[in-house]
């Protein structure tokens, strides 16, 4: 199968006076697996439906494989879509469901039968061709929906939350299958979800949407290690990044009267971000009280409250008894800084004020 790139050029969407997407520009690379991630109502489905041609755009251009398609009917855009609710015909067999679009398109019967069989084999449903959707499990139904999409040999495959009806174990299995499927068929995949685990594991690139705007568009690694904003930092990671109110005074970063390090960031208030897995328990640093602890077997999530009332989550494999009051370590090399007003990432590093202390913190983190 071939793939095509997608260019969104200042694409806008309003319903009446309500602007859902204010003007979005991005390129989705040919053959990539791109995930559109964001909270409920941010415009993910709207964007996907505009790509598919199921929703008209209010302005801008959409190009698929270099061809302007915003005025092209859905069936002529070279794409296929997989929905959350599968949308299978209950009275048709698996084979009929998969082959329906080909039948409508007038593909000859023998050709159709071969392509249906190939698509079914692709998703390992070859033995189920005569069953009806009601006689299949949720995961199998989802695979029929995928076979029905790929049988048309689209250049672009669009998925809108296709796994959200499945239980956790099945989701994991389907994630692996989708990833392998993508490698085998090579079509450009655009996948909408609000599940950050799906996004992190499936994507070549993640587009994070917030109220119809792109907050960040990058690889899962970039988004995890260099979140572009407070919004992204608080959205990615389980538990998400701790975001604390700090201050820079004459180049020194301070949280709760404790010096965390030296920085070039401008003097004044600043948001300090540290991931729960980088936040240390019982180290030299700000004082806190234990609020709650959860034992997940492999590690614990400990919730603590700093003196200023802000809560932090700490993900730790340390097994020491938890006391009511403790100190927390915020290693300088794990600190992200964000602008308080705009929420934007500040590209300033935090260096240890006291290198000996820093190396002790680091060692503690490696234990
Ligand atoms: N037909 C419509 N008329 C008016 N507003 C609409 C219409 N369809 C969607 N919206 C609004 O557009 C916004 C984006 O909706 P959309 O369905 O794209 O969100 P989403 O990101 O897919 O959310 P979810 O994760 O809940 O599926 C929402 O605020 C929604 O209320
Ligand atoms: Mg949606």
């Amino acid at each position: 199968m071939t793939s095509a790139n997608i260019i969104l050029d200042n694409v806008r969407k309003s319903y009446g006076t309500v602007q859902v997407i204010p003007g979005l520009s991005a390129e989705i690379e040919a053959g990539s697996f791109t995930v559109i991630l964001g909270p409920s109502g941010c415009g993910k489905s709207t964007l996907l439906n505009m790509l598919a041609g199921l929703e008209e755009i209010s302005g801008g251009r959409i190009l698929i494989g270099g061809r302007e398609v915003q005025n092209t009917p859905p069936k002529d855009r070279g794409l296929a879509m997989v929905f959350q609710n599968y949308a299978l015909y209950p009275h048709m067999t698996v084979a009929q469901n998969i082959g329906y679009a080909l039948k409508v398109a007038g593909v000859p019967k023998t050709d159709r039968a071969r392509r249906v069989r190939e698509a079914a084999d692709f998703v390992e449903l070859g033995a189920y061709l005569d069953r009806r959707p009601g006689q299949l499990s949720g995961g199998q139904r989802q695979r029929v929906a995928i076979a029905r999409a790929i049988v048309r040999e689209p250049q672009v495959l669009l998925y809108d939350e296709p796994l959200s009806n499945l239980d956790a174990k099945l989701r994991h299995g389907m994630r692996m299958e989708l990833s392998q499927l993508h490698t085998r068929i090579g079509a450009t995949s655009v996948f909408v979800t609000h599940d950050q685990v799906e996004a992190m594991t499936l994507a070549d690139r993640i587009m994070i949407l917030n109220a119809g705007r792109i907050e960040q568009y990058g690889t899962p690694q970039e988004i995890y290690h260099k979140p572009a904003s407070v919004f992204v930092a608080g959205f990615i990671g389980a538990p998400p990044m701790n975001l604390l109110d700090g201050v820079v005074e004459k180049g020194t970063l301070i949280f709760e009267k404790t010096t965390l390090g030296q920085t070039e960031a401008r003097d004044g208030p600043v948001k300090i971000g540290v991931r729960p897995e980088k936040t240390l328990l019982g180290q030299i640093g700000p004082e806190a009280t234990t609020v709650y602890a959860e034992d997940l077997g492999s590690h614990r999530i400990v919730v603590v409250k700093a003196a200023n009332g802000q809560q932090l989550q700490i993900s730790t494999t340390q097994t020491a008894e938890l006391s009511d009051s403790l100190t927390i370590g915020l290693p300088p090399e794990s600190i992200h800084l964000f602008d308080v007003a705009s929420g934007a990432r500040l590209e300033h590093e935090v260096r240890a004020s006291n290198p000996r202390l820093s190396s002790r913190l680091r060692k503690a983190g490696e234990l």
Side-chain angles (χ1 to χ4, degrees):
M1 242 179 251
T2 56
S3 61
N5 74 329
I6 301 166
I7 292 172
L8 299 160
D9 177 18
N10 199 23
V11 170
R12 296 192 302 281
K13 182 69 187 180
S14 306
Y15 293 104
T17 55
V18 182
Q19 197 172 49
V20 177
I21 295 178
L24 190 148
S25 297
E27 175 171 0
I28 294 171
E29 273 173 49
S32 68
F33 200 119
T34 297
V35 173
I36 301 174
L37 177 69
S40 185
C42 72
K44 305 180 295 293
S45 296
T46 303
L47 187 59
L48 206 68
N49 289 338
M50 291 194 299
L51 273 178
L54 303 173
E55 284 280 3
E56 278 187 21
I57 64 176
S58 310
R61 298 188 308 154
I62 299 174
L63 289 90
I64 297 178
R67 197 163 58 96
E68 255 187 57
V69 297
Q70 67 272 11
N71 299 317
T72 306
K75 65 174 179 36
D76 299 326
R77 293 192 183 194
L79 45 79
M81 190 152 166
V82 180
F83 299 92
Q84 175 181 350
N85 60 8
Y86 320 143
L88 301 178
Y89 298 109
H91 59 282
M92 291 187 191
T93 64
V94 167
Q96 287 165 337
N97 264 290
I98 298 174
Y100 185 69
L102 299 182
K103 189 174 174 185
V104 172
V107 175
K109 203 167 176 183
T110 48
D111 232 11
R112 214 160 71 209
R114 178 183 54 79
R115 281 169 67 178
V116 166
R117 219 175 315 112
E118 279 172 8
D121 284 342
F122 226 87
V123 295
E124 289 168 22
L125 279 178
Y128 297 85
L129 284 172
D130 296 326
R131 293 226 195 152
R132 284 179 213 286
Q135 301 165 313
L136 299 174
S137 73
Q140 288 165 338
R141 273 179 231 172
Q142 190 51 269
R143 289 210 291 262
V144 177
I146 293 169
R148 187 181 52 180
I150 63 177
V151 76
R152 295 164 54 200
E153 300 176 355
Q155 294 188 308
V156 176
L157 266 169
L158 306 177
Y159 298 92
D160 193 353
E161 309 237 11
L163 307 185
S164 44
N165 285 349
L166 307 177
D167 68 48
K169 201 168 159 216
L170 206 51
R171 283 171 85 121
H172 181 252
M174 283 302 291
R175 265 206 318 267
M176 285 201 301
E177 283 187 27
L178 275 177
S179 171
Q180 290 163 353
L181 185 80
H182 172 74
T183 315
R184 275 182 287 155
I185 63 178
T188 310
S189 295
V190 186
F191 186 102
V192 159
T193 183
H194 59 255
D195 180 335
Q196 52 149 326
V197 176
E198 265 169 40
M200 291 297 285
T201 51
L202 283 169
D204 300 321
R205 293 187 83 193
I206 301 176
M207 184 187 290
I208 299 196
L209 281 193
N210 178 19
R213 289 173 209 275
I214 298 178
E215 285 274 338
Q216 189 166 7
Y217 185 26
T219 65
Q221 291 298 312
E222 282 163 1
I223 280 171
Y224 181 83
H225 292 290
K226 284 184 179 279
S229 64
V230 165
F231 178 86
V232 175
F235 198 74
I236 292 284
M241 188 181 279
N242 293 309
L243 292 161
L244 307 168
D245 295 326
V247 65
V248 179
E249 280 174 15
K250 298 201 191 93
T252 300
L253 177 65
I254 298 165
F255 174 68
E256 275 304 297
K257 302 185 192 114
T258 308
T259 294
L260 301 182
Q262 304 304 122
T263 175
E264 244 101 89
R266 218 172 348 124
D267 278 8
V270 70
K271 271 281 177 226
I272 300 172
V274 185
R275 294 238 173 252
E277 52 275 29
K278 300 285 187 189
T279 309
L280 305 174
L281 271 177
Q283 297 302 312
I284 298 155
E287 289 179 2
T289 52
T290 308
V291 175
Y292 178 69
E294 240 173 12
D295 200 329
L296 299 172
S298 61
H299 64 286
R300 283 194 293 180
I301 306 287
V302 182
V303 183
V304 302
K305 195 189 229 171
N308 70 350
Q310 286 197 290
Q311 287 199 354
L312 290 87
Q313 303 202 58
I314 302 174
S315 174
T316 179
T317 52
Q318 288 170 254
T319 49
E321 260 316 293
L322 282 175
S323 52
D324 289 346
S325 66
L326 39 76
T327 52
I328 47 175
L330 301 168
E333 65 277 8
S334 302
I335 291 176
H336 305 249
L337 296 178
F338 301 95
D339 184 71
V340 171
S342 69
R345 178 186 188 80
L346 300 172
E347 287 299 345
H348 298 291
E349 289 182 3
V350 181
R351 283 165 288 104
S353 308
N354 173 349
R356 283 228 321 274
L357 177 62
S358 164
S359 92
R360 269 171 65 194
L361 269 180
R362 198 165 38 241
K363 284 207 191 93
E366 285 161 6
L367 288 181

